[in-house]
Amino acid sequence: MMQNISVAIIDDHPLFRDGVACSLSESGIFSVLGQGGSSEEALRIAKDTRPDILLLDLSMPGGGLQAIAAVRRLIPDQKIVVLTVSEAADDVLMALREGVDGYILKGVGSKDLLDVLVGVAAGERYVSPLLSARVLVDLSTRVDRPPKDPMGQLTGRERQVLNLVADGLSNKAIGRTLDLHEKTVKHHLSRVFFKLKVSNRTEAAMVLRDTDGSSDRPAH
């Protein structure tokens, strides 16, 4: 079958990314126009290749959510599908708010992935059925609810990470303190940046200081 759906794949795990690319290419339906491993590469590849579908992970250098927002600003009609391990309601909610066309969990089989991407290319939207009904109900009740305050958008864990950032700890030190992998800390921090609409650690710490009135907390 002639390839007729173009895809770009953004994931910071090269072996996983290559496996997905191989499955798509061998199907005879898809052509892979580019691969990358960061939000910066996502934006560049989307701009340079204009794929039918941009397939990306949420956990990557620069943040997948930030990549989605940046691509949406540059190419408003770009079809974007998230392929991730995260079942967190906040991740799903923020991705849907940014207008993604699909949200797939990485446990999906190759045939099901191909079917979903074919559907998205045809104009369908998709959310993995492995996401519980409870999460979907939660999303439906929260999707149009404006946040009461900047800090109110953060989960308890995100607030812990931000407090430690404001105390000047590195991601590695935060991971040791909270017993988290450094990559997990980076993902939490990426979500904090996205929710607070800031671009770096200093700005996030300043929002925390301004909200809490904690002028004695250093903003590193």
Side-chain angles (χ1 to χ4, degrees):
M1 184 182 299
M2 183 177 180
Q3 294 178 332
N4 53 24
I5 301 174
S6 59
V7 179
I9 305 168
I10 313 298
D11 192 295
D12 65 345
H13 288 86
L15 286 177
F16 177 82
R17 190 174 68 221
D18 289 345
V20 172
C22 184
S23 294
L24 294 179
S25 297
E26 289 180 351
S27 72
I29 303 172
F30 299 90
S31 58
V32 178
L33 300 186
Q35 297 185 46
S38 68
S39 61
E40 181 179 348
E41 291 177 340
L43 184 60
R44 176 181 59 77
I45 290 171
K47 179 181 178 181
D48 291 346
T49 68
R50 298 297 176 103
D52 294 321
I53 299 173
L54 182 65
L55 183 65
L56 56 78
D57 192 7
L58 290 183
S59 181
M60 67 173 72
L65 290 166
Q66 283 83 350
I68 293 168
V71 171
R72 276 273 175 261
R73 288 192 294 268
L74 181 67
I75 314 171
D77 60 348
Q78 173 67 63
K79 293 184 184 298
I80 301 175
V81 174
V82 170
L83 179 60
T84 184
V85 298
S86 177
E87 299 181 50
D90 277 346
D91 282 342
V92 182
L93 176 59
M94 289 186 289
L96 293 178
R97 278 178 171 167
E98 289 299 322
V100 300
D101 300 275
Y103 195 104
I104 310 171
L105 297 179
K106 280 189 174 180
V108 67
S110 59
K111 182 181 183 304
D112 289 338
L113 175 61
L114 299 180
D115 289 343
V116 170
L117 295 181
V118 168
V120 167
E124 299 174 6
R125 298 190 74 188
Y126 177 89
V127 176
S128 173
L130 292 179
L131 293 170
S132 69
R134 179 187 60 78
V135 171
L136 295 178
V137 168
D138 185 46
L139 294 179
S140 69
T141 59
R142 295 166 52 191
V143 67
D144 294 321
R145 186 184 302 168
K148 295 179 180 179
D149 62 78
M151 291 299 115
Q153 303 175 74
L154 305 185
T155 65
R157 179 64 86 186
E158 290 164 0
R159 182 64 181 260
Q160 286 180 314
V161 170
L162 179 55
N163 283 334
L164 294 174
V165 165
D167 284 336
L169 273 67
S170 66
N171 289 344
K172 183 175 292 186
I174 293 171
R176 287 196 298 265
T177 301
L178 299 179
D179 194 24
L180 298 173
H181 290 295
E182 187 175 356
K183 184 178 177 67
T184 303
V185 173
K186 290 178 180 178
H187 182 56
H188 283 308
L189 199 52
S190 173
R191 286 165 53 172
V192 169
F193 291 170
F194 184 83
K195 290 179 179 181
L196 299 184
K197 305 300 181 188
V198 299
S199 58
N200 57 54
R201 302 164 76 91
T202 299
E203 291 177 2
M206 289 176 65
V207 173
L208 174 64
R209 180 200 63 193
D210 293 343
T211 302
D212 288 353
S214 306
S215 57
D216 57 333
R217 180 182 295 277
H220 296 286

